[in-house]
Amino acid sequence: MAIEAAVGESAGIEQNLKQFLLVLSVSLSVATLPQIFSWFRQIPYTLLLVIAGLGLAFIDVRLVNLSPALILAIFLPPLLFEAAWNLKWSNLKRDFFPITLYAVVGVVISIVGVALGLNQIAGLPLTTALLIGASLSATDPVSVTALFRELGVDKRLTTLMEGESLFNDGMAVVAFGFLVALPLGTAKLGVSEVVLELISVIGIGLAVGGLIGFGISYLTQRFDLPLVEQSLTLVSAYGTYIIAEEFGGSGVIGVVTTGLILGNFGSRIGMNPRTRVIVSEFWEFVAFFVNSIVFLLIGDQIRFSNLADNLLIIGVTIAGMIGSRLISVYALGFFSNRIVNSNISLAEQTILWWGGLRGSVSIALALSVPTILGKEREDIISTVFGVVLFTLLVQGLTTKPLLKKLNLLGDQPLRQEYMQLVARENALQRVLKYLDEVDDERPGLDMEFCRYQEALIKGELSNISGKIAKLQIEHPSLRTFASEQLRNELLAVEADTYAEFVRNGRLNQELAPLLQEVLEEN
């Protein structure tokens, strides 16, 4: 019997591995399309995956069944950690008030707006309407923020969108956990009970995330092993989520807290610059890997017959979601501008409104509705899938034209061209310096060849310098960009020096960057 069980388990693992490899193969095939067909470069990679998944769903090819456990426990922690790792605390702190407003009050407005629309117009029971609203209250701007980076959109807009998403994920999960108890008749409806539960869930998540984040930060001070430190970040992402959930807290908030601490504190005091680069590149790969699977499966899970049966509900939900999002973004943006002088422009608020896509978290919450609810559960799942599909395809594909219309596109291609020329100039100057240091007496060396190489390099340097000067004349903004680059380099050198003192035990804690204060004063 034991042998038969082992054989059966082995066959199950092999089948799962085949499914995984099939999903990965399709995802990577989609990734190559923009390189083969230039037209596809106009579409963000994640949206291409959704479209490919829809194609598979249309011919009824189901790669794998999505489950809430698969999304929340396997896919979500690394995505949250990677976003938090790359989110600078200085940028987050500057806009912490509006981000908190959008993530907390905005979630409430979204739930209420969608629920009222479904209850009053579509005639859905209030409990079902609230669950749909809670499922769709979390934004997932992966596609939009990737587009922002590609186009060089202002970093502040990216911070606002990513910061809101990181925190409203946790709020949405907490709100859903409370509301899912309403149709089951097990909800605690007292205001004090709800508030205490909310504080408890968020507090435990923050505590677990803080303990693990600071613990690993100080642990990595004791050694310099890049692969071990890289592995610790991976363990911390999943470990924080599991431990926080075990203690009754929010795993989402825990992972975000750990990622923010390690990205902004631990990587400075416990990792040398080379290790930080290795870890950042590792998480960039993990995020690409997970997103490649998630967005393909979102499209592949669509059931067109269910969508057709729930078109009215989906339409009302989309209208309620967009309307409530509009109210929350503009009203809260106005409030934030008046109270703390956030200076979030109307153009930026418009992008925040239209770019508030829904994704994997919404689908995971919908799928986690108890099966005991029967038909109501099927309606919730179909509605959420339909709305997510609308936001990804319609809003996602129209965000770039909207950025152009609002004059929010950056000059990233120009900056990239400029930095490539600067990098080539620096590289050739180093080559020239090395050539000057070559020993004249090296056996078999022809000095005429050295002089010829020197002439070639100097000619190329002159050519590159001319191109850089021409770009600076044609685009004066590049001079400001060059100054910003140098400023960031100086700050990085200062921060690395403080981190080295901490690692050597000559300082108990990392110092605040003095140079930043000096530069800001001038």
Side-chain angles (χ1 to χ4, degrees):
M1 291 294 291
I3 295 176
E4 290 177 0
V7 171
E9 184 178 344
S10 175
I13 293 173
E14 183 179 350
Q15 181 62 30
N16 289 335
L17 182 59
K18 287 178 180 178
Q19 287 182 314
F20 171 74
L21 291 175
L22 177 60
V23 172
L24 193 58
S25 299
V26 174
S27 300
L28 296 179
S29 299
V30 173
T32 63
L33 286 178
Q35 306 305 317
I36 300 172
F37 306 102
S38 59
W39 183 84
F40 285 110
R41 294 172 192 168
Q42 306 299 318
I43 305 174
Y45 168 62
T46 49
L47 298 187
L48 271 179
L49 288 166
V50 175
I51 295 169
L54 283 172
L56 293 173
F58 184 74
I59 59 176
D60 202 27
V61 174
R62 309 294 175 178
L63 298 173
V64 67
N65 287 324
L66 275 180
S67 67
L70 184 64
I71 296 176
L72 293 176
I74 305 298
F75 292 154
L76 193 58
L79 292 177
L80 292 171
F81 185 93
E82 188 269 342
W85 169 275
N86 289 309
L87 191 61
K88 289 186 178 180
W89 173 249
S90 57
N91 295 338
L92 182 63
K93 182 171 63 174
R94 180 184 61 188
D95 287 312
F96 191 75
F97 185 76
I99 286 173
T100 304
L101 276 180
Y102 287 140
V104 178
V105 182
V107 164
V108 175
I109 293 173
S110 177
I111 293 173
V112 172
V114 171
L116 285 178
L118 287 172
N119 179 249
Q120 298 298 316
I121 299 174
L124 285 185
L126 186 58
T127 53
T128 304
L130 285 169
L131 283 179
I132 293 176
S135 299
L136 293 167
S137 61
T139 56
D140 183 11
V142 172
S143 304
V144 175
T145 52
L147 187 66
F148 284 1
R149 295 191 186 100
E150 178 186 337
L151 299 174
V153 174
D154 184 67
K155 288 183 179 178
R156 190 199 182 194
L157 189 54
T158 305
T159 300
L160 284 167
M161 188 160 280
E162 284 191 326
E164 178 199 0
S165 174
L166 284 174
F167 291 109
N168 73 12
D169 282 354
M171 289 301 302
V173 172
V174 171
F176 181 87
F178 168 72
L179 292 174
V180 78
L182 288 177
L184 300 176
T186 59
K188 299 176 181 178
L189 298 177
V191 175
S192 59
E193 293 175 322
V194 172
V195 172
L196 285 175
E197 180 71 15
L198 188 64
I199 293 173
S200 172
V201 170
I202 295 175
I204 292 172
L206 289 172
V208 172
L211 284 172
I212 293 177
F214 284 116
I216 291 179
S217 296
Y218 286 109
L219 178 63
T220 52
Q221 283 184 263
R222 305 292 179 256
F223 50 78
D224 183 20
L225 299 169
L227 293 179
V228 173
E229 294 172 69
Q230 175 181 292
S231 302
L232 279 173
T233 60
L234 182 63
V235 171
S236 70
Y238 283 106
T240 301
Y241 185 87
I242 293 170
I243 293 172
E245 291 289 326
E246 283 291 323
F247 281 97
S250 169
V252 172
I253 292 174
V255 173
V256 170
T257 304
T258 301
L260 283 172
I261 292 171
L262 289 177
N264 290 274
F265 176 72
S267 64
R268 291 295 177 185
I269 72 162
M271 300 179 184
N272 63 43
R274 176 174 169 272
T275 302
R276 283 204 302 273
V277 171
I278 290 173
V279 174
S280 295
E281 289 179 346
F282 167 74
W283 280 104
E284 184 179 355
F285 159 74
V286 170
F288 167 79
F289 185 80
V290 174
N291 276 318
S292 297
I293 296 172
V294 170
F295 281 90
L296 178 68
L297 293 182
I298 286 176
D300 184 55
Q301 297 299 300
I302 297 296
R303 300 189 181 277
F304 294 100
S305 59
N306 291 350
L307 294 185
D309 294 338
N310 291 275
L311 277 180
L312 174 62
I313 298 175
I314 292 171
V316 172
T317 305
I318 290 172
M321 181 192 66
I322 291 177
S324 58
R325 176 76 179 169
L326 184 146
I327 292 170
S328 67
V329 168
Y330 286 104
L332 296 177
F334 174 79
F335 180 74
S336 180
N337 287 344
R338 292 295 297 271
I339 298 299
V340 297
N341 197 27
S342 299
N343 292 322
I344 305 174
S345 68
L346 285 176
E348 290 173 327
Q349 291 178 40
T350 301
I351 293 299
L352 289 173
W353 161 60
W354 192 248
L357 312 185
R358 271 56 172 181
S360 55
V361 174
S362 295
I363 287 174
L365 294 178
L367 291 173
S368 62
V369 173
T371 54
I372 193 174
L373 295 180
K375 179 66 167 57
E376 289 183 0
R377 180 177 186 271
E378 294 303 317
D379 290 341
I380 292 171
I381 292 173
S382 299
T383 302
V384 169
F385 266 99
V387 174
V388 167
L389 192 61
F390 172 86
T391 65
L392 290 176
L393 295 183
V394 178
Q395 292 178 255
L397 291 174
T398 54
T399 298
K400 183 176 179 180
L402 186 59
L403 284 167
K404 288 182 179 179
K405 183 72 174 177
L406 297 173
N407 295 319
L408 290 176
L409 283 182
D411 53 359
Q412 184 65 17
L414 175 64
R415 291 186 176 192
Q416 188 62 33
E417 180 186 358
Y418 175 77
M419 288 308 300
Q420 286 175 355
L421 289 172
V422 170
R424 285 187 61 81
E425 184 182 45
N426 287 338
L428 291 179
Q429 284 174 345
R430 291 187 184 184
V431 171
L432 195 60
K433 182 180 178 181
Y434 179 80
L435 193 59
D436 288 339
E437 296 171 354
V438 171
D439 189 356
D440 296 349
E441 312 229 346
R442 181 182 291 187
L445 183 64
D446 184 355
M447 294 310 298
E448 195 62 38
F449 174 77
C450 289
R451 284 191 288 273
Y452 174 68
Q453 292 297 321
E454 183 178 357
L456 286 178
I457 294 169
K458 286 183 176 178
E460 184 62 24
L461 275 171
S462 177
N463 182 36
I464 291 174
S465 297
K467 290 181 179 179
I468 291 175
K470 182 180 178 183
L471 280 177
Q472 288 178 336
I473 292 171
E474 294 176 351
H475 307 279
S477 62
L478 286 175
R479 295 185 181 275
T480 304
F481 173 64
S483 300
E484 291 174 357
Q485 291 292 108
L486 178 60
R487 180 180 181 276
N488 291 335
E489 290 170 15
L490 296 175
L491 290 171
V493 170
E494 182 193 11
D496 289 341
T497 305
Y498 294 152
E500 183 180 344
F501 270 71
V502 173
R503 283 196 299 272
N504 293 336
R506 295 154 72 185
L507 277 177
N508 291 329
Q509 60 182 7
E510 188 175 4
L511 298 177
L514 175 65
L515 183 58
Q516 184 161 356
E517 298 176 8
V518 174
L519 291 172
E520 287 175 353
E521 290 174 1
N522 296 308

